[in-house]
Amino acid sequence: MAQATLIEHPFTSPAAALPAQDTVVLRLCAAARLLLGKARNSAHLALLQTLCLPVTALWCRVLRFDPAHPDWPDRDRFVVPSATLHPLLQAMLHLSGTYGFSESPLEYGMHPGVETAPGPAGQGIAAAAGMALAEHLLAKRYGRSLVNHRTWVLARDGDLATGVAMEAAQLAGRFGLTQLAVLVSPTPGADRTEFSNSLARFSASGWSIRKVDASQLSAINGALAATLRAKKPTLIACMPPESPQTFRPQPCLSPEEELTGPWSPTARRGATAYRSWLKRLARHRLRTTFERETANTLPSLLMEDWSRLCRRAMQPTHQASTQQAAITSLHTLSALLPELTVLTATSALPRTSAAAHIQPDWPCNIQEHGMAGMLNGMSLHGGILPCGIASMITVDRMRAALRMAALMRQKIIYLLTDDGLALSHDGASWQPVEQLASLRAMPHLAVFRPANAQEAFACWKAAIRWQSGPAVIMLCPNPPEHSYAVPMQGSAARGGYILHGSATRHVTLMASGPEVSIALETEQLLRQHGVQAAVVSIPCWEVFSNQPEAYKTAILGTDVLRVGIEAASGFGWERWLGSQGFFVGMDDFGVSAPANAVYERFGITAGAICARVLKHLRASGAIEERLLQAPSPTSRQQEREPL
């Protein structure tokens, strides 16, 4: 009890009774507690006070962080994903001399020490696991002399109970991420049973669990030292003392005068580590590559080399599906871009033989939610270009992490397989109705839906160049029904282009993905009736909307009927249709039936669309009745022939 009293009231006993390092920790902890008292989040002050001593000990004695170079690539990551705990991060940054403490929250992007934005519970643990995986990958490639840092997470007990945290914890245990550690404390007054259950689940996932009294500095130091030696991911449960005592510091020399800023233990230790690292970097044989990767820049001739390899790989299977083409493109890109790292969900693997090209190094089974959160952390860490492969049916499980990536504008590429109704002749019980519209509504997210192999590669290149946030490429496993000629105007890399049809037109048929084939068939039927139409493929709305107005007008046409065709919800299509256009798509979830039957039920067929276009043209008077010719028998025969 005497030791506990000394730590809770460090200035009531002579400082000489403790080792010098412990005295420094206690004095800085006292300063941090005073800063926390100024924070707005007073409702959680008890939790902040409980974690104050463990966090101060971590920053003073263990954390590798140089305040003068807070974005140093080999620094330790200190992840605080909860806004409730942000005052502790602010206090530590203030005491180390990198940020002035204020009552306003410290937002993501304001300081390099803020590793991630606050988000839904559990996302921070998943992101931290991704950071630890990125560190593991870079250490394997460059060695521990250049990459040897840890990822520390300051979490709440509610984070541990979430599904995404449990999935990420299992993946971290399976991947052997020994450089990952979580500090957590139960919320005061909450039931401890659920907290104990969470600890048991983490232990079963291959983690080392340590419980310490948050008021006992010696126990905290022992737990931190054991974490540095652990061969597993570590979780340190900082338990409040059984008899909480009010902290009442006595008048003394303020620690800000001699132990903060450049003179703080964190700053002095970090500066020494940084200088040593710079010397090792200068001698490293892969210095140029390392600096390029950590700056997130691409090799100068990447696109040219990639195009050549893709043409060679795709030549035997020119009529490949978009799914096969995109995965082949991924396979060739991985040979040119060592920082590309692929996490794969089991749901994406069994559909096609192209799955043999998917890198099996980091399989995530059915844990898509945790996988998506880890992809965020890999991107936040730097030096890695993360890519995730999963089935489109699982996009709703990944949505929270995908939204966090868009919010932080992180460069992540998703390949979502099994897109569209045309999955197989047996049909499917799940129909993708609102997924496309909901993803397109997410700011900073680029959604690509290619129609053929050529578009799939163009979409890959556009996704690599997309700098505003993550990119999603939706892929269909079935080959297109028609061979596509050279585009008439524009290119898929610009988000939209004229694929086929007449230069002067009455109708613009717009589509994406598998429905482009239906638009081509519709254009042929309309031509038989004397109606000139152009088929416009729009694989990416976001890229197309960024094009100059003159280009968009030339592609969509002026004073013509615009028709959108997509086997999904029409929400959002009004931006391209204009006041007179209409949309052909789905307004329900469909049925479990062969793809052709589902398309016919919703009227997504060439014949039904042609009839609607002719009816609209007659009603609007846009074209004379005598010009609407009936197809001849010869034309009907041509209708059944492939384009």
Side-chain angles (χ1 to χ4, degrees):
M1 289 300 295
Q3 187 178 10
T5 303
L6 176 62
I7 292 178
E8 192 62 27
H9 303 277
F11 303 115
T12 58
S13 297
L18 288 172
Q21 286 186 329
D22 288 357
T23 302
V24 171
V25 172
L26 294 174
R27 297 183 71 180
L28 287 174
C29 179
R33 289 177 186 270
L34 294 175
L35 291 173
L36 293 177
K38 303 176 183 179
R40 290 182 179 180
N41 207 348
S42 57
H44 301 280
L45 184 58
L47 177 62
L48 295 173
Q49 296 283 7
T50 299
L51 287 168
C52 187
L53 183 59
V55 170
T56 306
L58 171 65
W59 276 69
C60 287
R61 306 194 62 168
V62 177
L63 193 75
R64 284 163 48 100
F65 179 76
D66 183 7
H69 304 89
D71 55 352
W72 166 33
D74 200 35
R75 71 189 184 279
D76 279 3
R77 271 61 174 178
F78 185 67
V79 182
V80 186
S82 172
T84 300
L85 302 177
H86 260 217
L88 268 173
L89 174 61
Q90 288 182 265
M92 293 300 108
L93 291 176
H94 173 72
L95 293 175
S96 61
T98 60
Y99 182 79
F101 190 87
S102 68
E103 296 182 4
S104 302
L106 184 59
E107 300 289 344
Y108 174 77
M110 294 175 59
H111 190 280
V114 184
E115 301 288 354
T116 184
Q123 287 293 330
I125 292 180
M131 294 179 188
L133 178 57
E135 190 273 346
H136 178 75
L137 293 168
L138 292 173
K140 288 178 62 177
R141 192 150 71 244
Y142 295 106
R144 287 295 178 188
S145 64
L146 207 58
V147 182
N148 187 20
H149 55 268
R150 292 182 173 272
T151 302
W152 304 87
V153 191
L154 188 61
R156 299 189 61 184
D157 52 358
D159 293 316
L160 305 185
T162 59
V164 60
M166 282 310 310
E167 290 186 10
Q170 292 177 20
L171 293 174
R174 187 190 313 153
F175 295 159
L177 305 182
T178 60
Q179 303 283 81
L180 174 62
V182 175
L183 277 70
V184 64
S185 178
T187 302
D191 183 11
R192 298 287 180 89
T193 303
E194 180 59 34
F195 184 69
S196 299
N197 292 340
S198 297
L199 298 183
R201 287 192 290 267
F202 269 69
S203 178
S205 300
W207 284 57
S208 174
I209 309 298
R210 296 185 177 275
K211 281 188 177 183
V212 298
D213 187 335
S215 65
Q216 296 286 343
L217 183 55
S218 58
I220 295 170
N221 290 338
L224 293 175
T227 300
L228 300 180
R229 301 189 302 267
K231 302 301 182 182
K232 299 179 180 180
T234 303
L235 188 149
I236 302 176
C238 304
M239 309 302 293
E242 295 297 331
S243 301
Q245 303 178 26
T246 303
F247 179 72
R248 296 186 300 273
Q250 303 297 320
C252 65
L253 182 64
S254 174
E256 283 85 357
E257 296 181 10
E258 57 184 66
L259 298 175
T260 60
W263 298 275
S264 68
T266 304
R268 286 181 291 169
R269 186 179 60 258
T272 301
Y274 176 70
R275 288 193 297 268
S276 299
W277 179 82
L278 282 180
K279 294 177 182 178
R280 296 193 298 272
L281 175 64
R283 298 191 299 266
H284 203 282
R285 61 185 181 86
L286 297 177
R287 173 184 176 180
T288 303
T289 304
F290 178 82
E291 291 176 336
R292 178 190 65 78
E293 292 181 0
T294 53
N296 294 324
T297 58
L298 299 174
S300 57
L301 298 178
L302 174 67
M303 294 301 173
E304 292 80 357
D305 295 339
W306 190 19
S307 298
R308 184 175 62 255
L309 287 178
C310 277
R311 282 195 299 268
R312 187 183 307 165
M314 293 300 299
Q315 191 172 8
T317 56
H318 188 69
Q319 282 298 100
S321 67
T322 58
Q323 187 163 310
Q324 182 178 356
I327 293 177
T328 301
S329 299
L330 171 63
H331 179 61
T332 56
L333 180 62
S334 63
L336 301 171
L337 207 61
E339 63 262 38
L340 177 66
T341 303
V342 183
L343 303 186
T344 308
T346 306
S347 58
L349 292 176
R351 289 282 182 181
T352 70
S353 59
H357 293 312
I358 299 178
Q359 298 181 7
D361 295 338
W362 307 105
C364 297
N365 296 339
I366 60 173
Q367 294 152 321
E368 294 91 350
H369 199 178
M371 179 188 80
M374 291 182 65
L375 290 170
N376 289 350
M378 295 166 69
S379 178
L380 288 165
H381 180 278
I384 296 290
L385 176 59
C387 175
I389 306 179
S391 173
M392 184 180 173
I393 195 174
T394 65
V395 69
D396 286 323
R397 298 193 63 234
M398 300 184 289
R399 190 177 302 276
L402 192 58
R403 185 180 183 277
M404 288 294 297
L407 184 148
M408 296 183 290
R409 301 200 178 196
Q410 293 302 304
K411 189 176 185 61
I412 303 168
I413 298 175
Y414 285 85
L415 301 184
L416 299 184
T417 62
D418 298 339
D419 166 39
L421 299 178
L423 300 181
S424 68
H425 296 293
D426 299 329
S429 59
W430 172 81
Q431 307 296 351
V433 182
E434 79 284 2
Q435 274 74 15
L436 264 175
S438 63
L439 290 175
R440 286 169 175 162
M442 193 177 295
H444 313 310
L445 173 65
V447 181
F448 296 87
R449 195 168 185 252
N452 59 15
Q454 293 77 18
E455 278 193 15
F457 179 61
C459 288
W460 246 116
K461 292 197 294 185
I464 291 290
R465 295 191 179 104
W466 180 256
Q467 299 297 326
S468 298
V472 170
I473 306 178
M474 296 190 168
L475 306 169
C476 181
N478 293 345
E481 297 182 6
H482 305 288
S483 59
Y484 294 5
V486 177
M488 287 185 56
Q489 184 177 354
S491 67
R494 302 187 71 173
Y497 66 105
I498 299 178
L499 178 62
H500 186 71
S502 305
T504 58
R505 51 189 137 151
H506 305 103
V507 182
T508 299
L509 301 172
M510 301 174 290
S512 72
E515 288 74 59
V516 172
S517 294
I518 298 176
L520 290 169
E521 294 178 7
T522 305
E523 185 272 334
Q524 189 180 46
L525 289 179
L526 290 172
R527 186 169 6 107
Q528 295 168 10
H529 285 277
V531 177
Q532 302 299 319
V535 176
V536 172
S537 176
I538 310 182
C540 183
W541 290 13
E542 291 75 17
V543 174
F544 186 59
S545 64
N546 290 336
Q547 301 304 313
E549 288 297 325
Y551 177 81
K552 291 186 285 187
T553 301
I555 298 300
L556 300 179
T558 56
D559 299 326
V560 299
L561 175 64
R562 297 179 183 178
V563 180
I565 307 170
E566 202 166 60
S569 168
F571 186 83
W573 268 95
E574 59 273 3
R575 68 186 298 187
W576 311 120
L577 296 176
S579 58
Q580 302 299 321
F582 63 88
F583 176 76
V584 179
M586 299 173 62
D587 56 3
D588 203 349
F589 288 98
V591 294
S592 181
N596 291 339
V598 180
Y599 274 98
E600 290 176 3
R601 172 185 172 180
F602 289 104
I604 315 175
T605 62
I609 299 171
C610 179
R612 286 190 62 180
V613 171
L614 295 177
K615 180 179 179 181
H616 193 281
L617 291 176
R618 290 190 183 99
S620 64
I623 189 170
E624 298 180 16
E625 182 73 26
R626 62 186 178 85
L627 295 178
L628 298 177
Q629 307 168 0
S632 63
T634 304
S635 298
R636 294 192 186 97
Q637 178 65 29
Q638 292 174 350
E639 179 183 341
R640 291 189 291 269
E641 296 177 358
L643 292 175

